[in-house]
Amino acid sequence: MKKSLFAAAFAAICLSVWAQVPQTMNPDYHRAAMQYLNGEKHYVNSDVFFKLNSSDKETGLDHVEFSVNGSAFMTYFNPFHILEEGRHEISYRGFDNGKNLEVAKTLAVIVDNTAPKTTLNTTEPLFYKGLAAYCSANTKWYIAANDDITGSGTAGAYIGTDLNNLELRGEGKEAEEAYYSLTEEGPTKVYYTAIDNVGNLASVAMVSVVVDTTAPTVYIENSDRLINKDSEFTVFPSSDVVDEEGRIIVSTKESVAFAATDELSGLDAIYVKINDADYVKYVDPIQFTSETVYNIDVKAIDNVGNVSEPVSYKFYVDKITPASDVEMIDRDGNAPAMWKAPANEQ
């Protein structure tokens, strides 16, 4: 019996191995001819050419015919590629010199030339001050990359601050291996992109952000009254006016205000804890009402969540009135002279 052998037109494709996804990416990337088999679905990009191979041991091969998407069969001469995206069926058959026509075989492929759509997300909201975006070192960045429903699927996502050396991060999903963090304080740029399983790379996009790793600085914001103690002027209350134990002296006629500064993202809130109470949000200056010792802890948080270490203050309420007496002196500040009584009057 005469045998007609037709090697599957795409045996080389089916047996080839998809190259490992690059670990780094840069803007000089050029797409190569790539194919991807996902179950029974076969994906290619338009750089893939289809070469039809056939042989016949008996009378020899006359020619090979092929048809695309049900068109009339035509004689095959050279490898061809398909530019139009979507599903295509390539039918092919050999014809030998003995007039034997092979039963046509069909290969279904999906042409994918579209890169994934990418968005850059954060685990915590960014804070915006004008057009500037701020984040903390605790903010985690990740890429959401979605390929079209007819696409080959996302193979990997890339992110980094070095445009020429973007790191591969998972498959673009919100997973621990996909997270990227910024630790160096100051303005920076985050670049990102994603690639699908047939090598279509999304355009590299960029987000500008200011990384804020410094917590606010807390201080006493006082006062509007100037005092003169021991011939030295100072603002009251003041850490320079303390009792023997180093506690800041205040009075029930005073209130103490607290403030904080943050040079980058700015101050969000101040919290105070008085003695053994819980922390509460600071709103108004604190009025001292009883003659006791006040232990006050103050901390502040900025707009990206950096919290300062608590600053502890001890205040002593002064309710002791001054101690006064009277002294008699002469013009020179000396004690006045006193006459001595005559001896016979003693």
Side-chain angles (χ1 to χ4, degrees), residues 21 116 118 145 153-158 168-172 193-197 201:
V21 179
T118 60
T154 302
Y158 298 85
L168 178 64
R169 292 279 169 165
E171 295 184 354
T193 184
I195 194 170
D196 67 14
N197 283 302
L201 183 71

Side-chain angles (χ1 to χ4, degrees), residues 9-214:
F10 311 105
I13 292 179
C14 295
L15 295 176
S16 65
V17 177
W18 159 245
Q20 184 178 1
V21 179
Q23 293 299 305
T24 60
M25 186 61 64
N26 63 62
D28 294 331
Y29 168 83
H30 293 286
R31 187 185 72 174
M34 294 184 183
Q35 58 88 30
Y36 174 67
L37 185 61
N38 181 11
E40 296 181 353
K41 293 183 178 180
H42 209 137
Y43 295 88
V44 298
N45 61 35
S46 287
D47 293 321
V48 171
F49 281 74
F50 302 93
K51 181 182 178 182
L52 305 182
N53 302 303
S54 184
S55 64
D56 187 88
K57 290 183 178 180
E58 285 76 19
T59 60
L61 182 71
D62 185 338
H63 66 274
V64 176
E65 300 175 343
F66 75 102
S67 166
V68 179
N69 297 331
S71 66
F73 276 91
M74 63 194 85
T75 302
Y76 169 79
F77 293 103
N78 296 302
F80 60 93
H81 61 160
I82 301 175
L83 299 178
E84 184 180 356
E85 286 195 300
R87 188 178 187 277
H88 300 275
E89 289 188 351
I90 302 172
S91 299
Y92 49 93
R93 62 191 182 189
F95 189 73
D96 67 12
N97 290 309
K99 307 302 181 181
N100 294 306
L101 183 64
E102 181 184 14
V103 176
K105 298 181 175 69
T106 299
L107 174 70
V109 295
I110 300 172
V111 178
D112 178 8
N113 293 321
T114 302
K117 295 178 180 179
T118 60
T119 57
L120 186 60
N121 301 303
T122 56
T123 54
E124 301 174 13
L126 301 180
F127 172 75
Y128 286 87
K129 187 164 61 176
L131 295 178
Y134 292 81
C135 75
S136 74
N138 295 324
T139 302
K140 295 180 179 180
W141 303 70
Y142 66 95
I143 301 167
N146 296 307
D147 210 23
D148 187 84
I149 191 170
T150 60
S152 57
T154 302
Y158 298 85
I159 190 171
T161 56
D162 182 355
L163 179 59
N164 294 307
N165 190 29
L166 302 182
E167 302 175 10
L168 178 64
R169 292 279 169 165
E171 295 184 354
K173 298 177 182 178
E174 186 182 357
E176 192 64 33
E177 65 270 15
Y179 288 148
Y180 183 78
S181 297
L182 301 168
T183 57
E184 185 174 348
E185 187 167 75
T188 190
K189 294 177 174 61
V190 181
Y191 304 95
Y192 62 98
T193 184
I195 194 170
D196 67 14
N197 283 302
V198 291
N200 295 305
L201 183 71
S203 299
V204 177
M206 181 198 75
V207 169
S208 295
V209 68
V210 180
V211 183
D212 181 0
T213 63
T214 303

